Amino acid sequence: MSESINAAKISIIIPAINEAGNIKKAIATTQANLNIEVIVVDGGSSDDTVAIAQSLNVKVISSSPGRAMQMNAGAVAASGDILLFLHADTRLPTGFDEMICTALQQPGTVAGAFKLRIDASLLSLRWVEWGVNLRSHFYQMPYGDQAIFLTKAVFQQIGNFPELPIMEDFELMRRLKRIGRVVIIPTPVVTSARRWLQKGVFKTTLLNQIVIIAYLLGVSPKQIRRWYRREKFKRI
């Protein structure tokens, strides 16, 4: 098993819509080699996202918009044994491939993600990182901006990402925890601070917690998404 994991090909799936300002940096951290495949799944960009990705010699496909649908489309197109879902505004650490293979060899492990670092110097964001990393470590509940990875076989076993308009990563983790352990690699990925800076750190953090509580209480993901987007763009 360990030899097969070590030799496994990793398919890195990047869902994107209008990420021209980020996609090049994200792809640059994938350290392309024979055992790495990069798939950008465009959800209908109106900027240069597709052209930039194509110029970097990675596979580019199109799908309906929606992160879950885009990631599922990428998984179908993937030829790798391991799937790594990377947000377009997140950058991978050096040696991520070896870290992933090592993590997936741990007994009982079905998936994993990375520790989170946010790319801004605000002290309040250090507290956000602390909270995210504490939750991830103790509750095995990383979210999508932490670069979730798992084998393609396990991904298919749990039924892919649920095609929800929001909370798809949360629901995926709940399913994974039922069948095994989710590990957190202590080396961080670095993600953009833009969503915290747009609304303010406190408001963004509070909004995220309200969204989780609403979801757990059974509020429709479509309704949560409508409310979340209205809050997200109110001040922009």
Side-chain angles (χ1 to χ4, degrees), residues 27-219:
I27 293 172
T29 64
T30 61
Q31 306 162 24
N33 59 46
L34 292 178
N35 265 0
I36 299 290
E37 170 186 51
V38 179
I39 304 171
V40 173
V41 188
D42 186 70
S45 295
S46 57
D47 64 5
D48 292 332
T49 298
V50 170
I52 292 169
Q54 288 173 336
S55 74
L56 297 170
N57 296 317
V58 300
K59 184 183 291 187
V60 181
I61 64 173
S62 298
S63 87
S64 300
R67 188 169 276 155
M69 287 186 286
Q70 288 171 249
M71 291 188 292
N72 286 340
V76 171
S79 60
D81 308 290
I82 297 171
L83 305 177
L84 168 59
F85 297 97
L86 180 68
H87 287 187
D89 63 352
T90 299
R91 302 190 294 279
L92 293 166
T94 301
F96 71 88
D97 47 350
E98 294 179 4
M99 297 177 203
I100 288 172
C101 290
T102 299
L104 289 176
Q105 290 178 64
Q106 296 180 26
T109 296
V110 295
F114 292 80
K115 186 177 177 180
L116 182 71
R117 191 164 82 236
I118 302 169
D119 191 13
S121 59
L122 291 174
L123 180 61
S124 54
L125 289 174
R126 303 292 78 79
W127 284 102
V128 172
E129 291 170 349
W130 179 81
V132 167
N133 292 324
L134 192 71
R135 179 202 70 219
S136 302
H137 180 74
F138 286 104
Y139 295 102
Q140 300 178 52
M141 286 294 290
Y143 296 162
D145 51 11
Q146 291 172 255
I148 295 166
F149 58 84
L150 69 173
T151 65
K152 192 170 188 178
V154 167
F155 186 68
Q156 293 171 338
Q157 178 187 341
I158 62 169
N160 304 353
F161 275 98
E163 294 196 344
L164 303 173
I166 198 168
M167 302 294 286
E168 74 287 335
D169 48 359
F170 184 89
E171 186 58 38
L172 183 83
M173 285 300 128
R174 292 176 79 189
R175 294 180 184 182
L176 286 166
K177 284 175 62 179
R178 296 186 191 118
I179 64 170
R181 181 167 172 256
V182 178
V183 300
I184 306 300
I185 292 174
T187 303
V189 292
V190 179
T191 195
S192 168
R194 59 182 176 178
R195 64 190 178 98
W196 287 279
L197 298 180
Q198 283 173 351
K199 299 185 295 291
V201 175
F202 176 77
K203 184 174 181 180
T204 301
T205 303
L206 179 62
L207 181 58
N208 289 342
Q209 297 311 306
I210 292 171
V211 165
I212 292 169
I213 292 167
Y215 181 75
L216 292 174
L217 289 175
V219 177

